[in-house]
């Protein structure tokens, strides 16, 4: 059994280790079966979802999430639910409702979140009730291992063990110039010459429910599970006490929504399966290395045949499609033509398959030698400033640095002079640490961090001067801190010292740092063991 007692700042409920071990053994078996047979349809999953151990693990997952303190349309938070009802009684009642088919998902509470760096623009967020979050967590814990075996290696968004930096590094490696033998000499050539920067209009709000459920049913043949997934899609939205039906889309904010969005958007990778991951080819073994090697061989074969090559990298609804033309004097012009033709074909394909539209204005066809916007970075192929050879790189966009400096400036505006320096630094340091960690794998990040530290230091200095009306020398004696033997003064108040982004290690991200999800590990154990 789990416990409802928790230390201050910890989750209000934690499942027992035996429950977690049981669920992991089930997930491993589901993933193994799905990986070994791409066409297998799972027809008996309902028992796993309504199992008390699954629900207790789902409760554990929701309780440890920071969002557990946020209420849905019923006004109930995780803390109040555990305190008033109790974790075990809540799990039992929820299980009975699911088994008796009296459970009905509630509408999500819609709130608008400001978009970073886009004043006046908001992102709609749907907040389910705590009860719905627990059921969604139970559903996801059973469905995710099944669909993870189907997701392509070029998909990175909202997947266990994958993230932004992996997607950026994979894209950078694909863009690296390759040595090609021409007239007895090794010459570096670009494998991809143009790219399509994909932008889908309101992706999460417009995914066609019928098309999505058809893709879910390809793997899930359990009618009760499919009805429950469909019920969440049709639950509706409550905004300013006005109820509206959801005829399309997966509401952002739900635990199940990212998985459903990935199931739908994987049609993009499937369109280019031949060049990416031909897993469903009958003659191939199921091990990933063999499948990946065969994809590379097919790219080479198609180039020799005079055919174009298309390879996508996708993070949720943000994707870049690389376009490579066969070698020849017209390679650049051919690649541009292929890219424009594929942009139109892909737009029609997404409209037909999912009811989604590519933004004509924001979906750009770009040469890879110009900056491409992807996940807050600029990706391009350029000449190395030292040895002058062509290399691929991810850079920190100048506008991103400018926007962040403006955030720092607002943090130390005149209206904050009544705050103490320690309080200001406690708010500023997480901002600096998070921004620097996000860009620490970019080319030239060290130079950007040094400039940012200089700007922040003087921003704090000017703020202190206005606050105390003292000279910089006296302020340095009062708030300055210097390492033994050091020359630079760092701002400090009490136990809080200004974080310096230049102290972070700047290094290239390695794809080997990504780890496989725990259910993909090779452990020969049967469910329930």
């Amino acid at each position: 059994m789990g416990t409802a007692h928790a230390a201050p700042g910890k989750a209000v409920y934690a499942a027992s280790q035996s429950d977690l071990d049981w669920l992991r053994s089930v997930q491993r078996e589901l993933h193994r079966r799905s990986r070994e047979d791409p066409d297998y349809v799972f027809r008996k999953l309902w028992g796993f979802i309504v199992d008390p151990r699954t629900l207790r693990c789902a409760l554990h997952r929701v309780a440890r999430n920071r969002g557990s303190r946020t209420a849905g349309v019923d006004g109930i938070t995780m803390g109040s639910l555990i305190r008033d009802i109790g974790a075990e009684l809540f799990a039992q009642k929820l299980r009975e409702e699911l088994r008796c088919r009296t459970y009905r998902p509630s509408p999500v509470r819609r709130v608008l979140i400001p978009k970073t760096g886009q004043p006046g623009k908001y992102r709609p967020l749907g907040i389910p009730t705590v009860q719905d979050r627990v059921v969604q967590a139970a559903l996801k814990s059973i469905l995710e291992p099944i669909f993870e075996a189907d997701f392509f290696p070029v998909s990175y968004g909202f997947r266990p063990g994958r993230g932004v930096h992996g997607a950026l590094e994979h894209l950078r490696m694909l863009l690296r110039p390759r040595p090609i033998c021409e007239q007895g000499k090794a010459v570096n050539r670009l494998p991809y010459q143009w790219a399509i920067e994909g932008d889908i209009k309101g992706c999460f709000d417009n995914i066609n429910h019928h098309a999505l459920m058809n893709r879910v049913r390809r793997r899930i043949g359990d009618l009760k599970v499919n009805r429950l997934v469909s019920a969440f899609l049709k639950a509706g939205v409550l905004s300013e006490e006005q109820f509206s039906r959801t005829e399309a889309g997966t509401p952002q904010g739900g635990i199940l929504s990212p998985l459903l969005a990935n199931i739908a958007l994987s049609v993009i990778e499937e369109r280019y399966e031949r060049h990416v991951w031909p897993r469903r080819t009958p003659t191939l073994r199921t091990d990933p290395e063999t499948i990946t090697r065969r994809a590379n061989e097919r790219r080479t074969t198609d180039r020799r045949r005079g055919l174009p090559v298309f390879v996508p990298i996708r993070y949720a609804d943000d994707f870049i499609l690389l376009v490579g033309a066969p070698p020849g004097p017209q390679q650049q012009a051919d690649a541009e033509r292929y890219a424009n033709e594929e942009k139109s074909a892909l737009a029609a394909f997404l409209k037909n398959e999912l009811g989604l539209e590519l933004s004509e204005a924001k979906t750009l066809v770009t040469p890879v030698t110009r900056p491409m916007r992807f996940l807050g970075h600029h990706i391009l192929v350029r000449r190395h400033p030292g040895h002058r050879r062509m290399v691929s790189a991810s850079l920190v966009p100048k506008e991103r640095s400018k926007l962040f400096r403006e955030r720092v400036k607002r943090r130390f505006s005149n209206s904050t002079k009544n705050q103490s320096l320690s309080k200001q630094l406690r708010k500023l340091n997480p901002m600096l640490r998070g921004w620097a960690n996000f860009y620490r794998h970019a080319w030239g990040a060290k130079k950007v961090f040094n400039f940012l530290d200089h700007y922040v230091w003087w921003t704090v200095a000017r703020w202190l001067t206005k606050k105390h009306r003292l000279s910089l020398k006296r302020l340095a004696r009062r708030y300055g801190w210097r390492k033994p033997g050091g020359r630079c003064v760092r701002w400090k108040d009490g136990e809080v010292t200004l974080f310096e982004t230049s102290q972070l290690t700047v290094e290239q991200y390695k794809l080997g740092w990504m780890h496989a999800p725990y259910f993909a590990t090779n452990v020969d154990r049967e469910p329930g063991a």
Side-chain angles (χ1 to χ4, degrees):
M1 293 294 179
T3 175
H5 304 287
K10 300 292 183 180
V12 295
Y13 175 79
S16 67
Q17 191 60 46
S18 62
D19 287 349
L20 295 172
D21 290 342
W22 175 85
L23 180 60
R24 286 170 181 167
S25 70
V26 170
Q27 291 175 319
R28 287 191 183 101
E29 179 61 20
L30 292 173
H31 181 78
R32 182 194 63 78
R33 187 63 182 268
S34 180
R35 184 185 67 245
E36 292 179 355
D37 187 353
D39 298 315
Y40 185 80
V41 179
F42 294 81
R43 302 188 184 280
K44 296 182 179 180
L45 297 177
W46 187 249
F48 287 138
I49 291 172
V50 299
D51 191 285
R53 292 167 289 190
T54 304
L55 294 175
R56 287 197 291 264
C57 290
L59 188 61
H60 166 89
R61 176 174 180 168
V62 174
R64 70 178 181 176
N65 193 300
R66 288 179 59 187
S68 65
R69 293 173 288 185
T70 306
V73 294
D74 57 1
I76 298 175
T77 64
M78 177 59 74
S80 62
L81 185 146
I82 297 295
R83 183 176 60 252
D84 298 340
I85 302 177
E88 294 301 326
L89 182 58
F90 169 74
Q92 291 173 13
K93 291 176 64 176
L94 185 56
R95 180 171 185 258
E96 288 303 314
E97 287 184 25
L98 288 169
R99 292 181 66 191
C100 298
R101 298 180 62 179
T102 58
Y103 170 80
R104 296 289 183 274
S106 303
V108 297
R109 179 170 67 90
R110 173 163 289 177
V111 295
L112 298 178
I113 307 297
K115 290 187 176 181
T116 305
Q118 301 182 45
K121 293 188 177 181
Y122 298 88
R123 177 178 289 106
L125 190 69
I127 303 176
T129 64
V130 171
Q131 179 174 261
D132 290 347
R133 274 177 259 175
V134 173
V135 177
Q136 287 189 31
L139 266 173
K140 185 176 182 179
S141 65
I142 300 301
L143 298 183
E144 186 174 56
I146 296 171
F147 287 100
E148 266 296 313
D150 289 339
F151 290 154
F152 284 61
V154 294
S155 168
Y156 283 86
F158 306 119
R159 293 182 59 190
R162 290 169 170 257
V164 169
H165 296 121
L168 290 165
E169 179 60 16
H170 195 160
L171 178 59
R172 191 194 68 79
M173 291 184 68
L174 286 171
L175 288 170
R176 287 185 306 174
R178 303 288 197 274
I180 298 176
C181 185
E182 291 184 358
Q183 298 178 352
K185 294 171 57 178
V187 182
N188 282 342
R189 297 296 184 195
L190 299 180
Y192 307 96
Q193 298 79 41
W194 284 74
I196 302 171
E197 301 177 58
D199 187 278
I200 302 174
K201 288 182 181 178
C203 175
F204 291 97
D205 295 330
N206 294 302
I207 293 176
N208 183 278
H209 287 173
H210 179 69
L212 171 58
M213 288 307 302
N214 281 341
R215 294 184 62 77
V216 172
R217 293 186 192 101
R218 279 171 32 177
R219 276 300 203 168
I220 310 301
D222 192 316
L223 294 179
K224 293 180 181 178
V225 174
N226 289 333
R227 286 194 197 104
L228 185 57
V229 173
S230 182
F232 277 116
L233 292 173
K234 302 290 186 183
V237 173
L238 194 64
S239 178
E240 298 180 354
E241 299 184 357
Q242 294 292 321
F243 174 79
S244 57
R245 297 184 181 277
T246 47
E247 301 299 334
T250 60
Q252 297 183 64
I255 293 175
L256 194 60
S257 294
L259 175 63
L260 296 178
N262 267 335
I263 293 171
L265 292 173
S266 59
V267 298
I268 296 174
E269 294 89 72
E270 289 175 8
R271 179 174 172 83
Y272 310 104
E273 177 182 356
R274 174 177 174 80
H275 296 146
V276 178
W277 203 49
R279 177 170 176 254
R280 294 181 179 274
T281 304
T283 57
L284 289 184
R285 299 199 306 273
T286 57
D287 59 288
E289 291 184 2
T290 301
I291 300 171
T292 303
R293 185 171 64 251
R294 182 61 63 88
N296 291 334
E297 292 171 357
R298 288 182 172 185
R299 295 180 207 170
T300 303
T301 300
D302 285 355
R303 286 190 179 101
R304 289 173 179 169
R305 290 176 176 173
L307 300 174
V309 173
F310 302 99
V311 177
I313 293 289
R314 182 176 64 84
Y315 188 95
D317 61 331
D318 196 0
F319 69 92
I320 282 186
L321 177 63
L322 300 178
V323 182
Q330 298 296 319
Q331 187 181 48
Q332 282 290 336
D334 289 344
E336 183 180 9
R337 175 169 56 83
Y338 289 137
N340 281 300
E341 290 174 356
E342 185 58 26
K343 175 185 172 182
S344 301
L346 180 59
F349 175 77
L350 288 175
K351 182 68 175 179
N352 181 60
E353 291 288 325
L354 298 174
L356 297 176
E357 294 184 16
L358 284 180
S359 171
E360 188 65 31
K362 296 181 179 179
T363 301
L364 307 176
V365 176
T366 312
V368 298
T369 51
R370 292 183 186 173
M372 297 173 285
R373 297 174 181 270
F374 188 57
L375 303 179
H377 289 67
H378 277 168
I379 308 291
L380 78 162
V381 179
R382 65 173 188 174
R383 292 199 178 276
H384 191 282
H387 53 63
R388 305 303 297 169
R389 289 193 294 270
M390 297 295 286
V391 295
S392 56
S394 64
L395 309 174
V396 183
K398 291 183 179 179
E399 60 268 23
R400 290 276 180 160
S401 298
K402 182 180 178 181
L403 286 171
F404 187 74
R405 291 197 300 271
E406 289 175 356
R407 286 181 61 195
V408 174
K409 185 177 180 180
R410 287 195 298 271
R411 171 62 59 193
F412 288 90
S413 62
N414 289 333
S415 61
T416 63
K417 287 192 295 184
N418 60 328
Q419 304 286 341
S420 66
L421 178 60
S422 62
K423 186 173 182 179
Q424 287 288 85
L425 293 182
R426 283 193 179 95
K427 295 177 180 178
L428 176 64
N429 282 346
M431 290 169 50
L432 293 170
R433 191 174 286 108
W435 195 86
N437 275 311
F438 185 73
Y439 285 111
R440 64 190 292 252
H441 302 296
W443 184 301
K446 198 71 170 180
K447 184 177 179 180
V448 175
F449 292 169
N450 285 329
F451 181 80
L452 178 61
D453 286 343
H454 178 81
Y455 177 85
V456 172
W457 194 95
W458 278 105
T459 300
V460 175
R462 287 190 290 268
W463 182 81
L464 287 172
T465 302
K466 294 176 184 177
K467 178 180 175 69
H468 296 289
R469 299 190 179 278
L470 297 174
S471 67
L472 197 57
K473 198 174 200 179
R474 294 179 66 182
L475 289 172
R477 285 199 295 266
R478 181 171 177 178
Y479 292 108
W481 175 79
R482 196 192 309 267
K483 288 183 179 179
R487 299 177 59 186
C488 298
V489 173
R490 297 172 65 184
W491 297 119
K492 180 178 180 180
D493 190 11
E495 298 298 321
V496 188
T497 306
L498 177 64
F499 176 75
E500 292 184 342
T501 59
S502 58
Q503 300 301 311
L504 276 179
T505 302
V506 174
E507 57 187 338
Q508 183 176 302
Y509 186 84
K510 297 177 177 59
L511 291 177
W513 292 348
M514 295 189 302
H515 57 86
Y518 57 84
F519 50 73
T521 54
N522 294 323
V523 179
D524 296 327
R525 299 173 67 182
E526 295 298 324

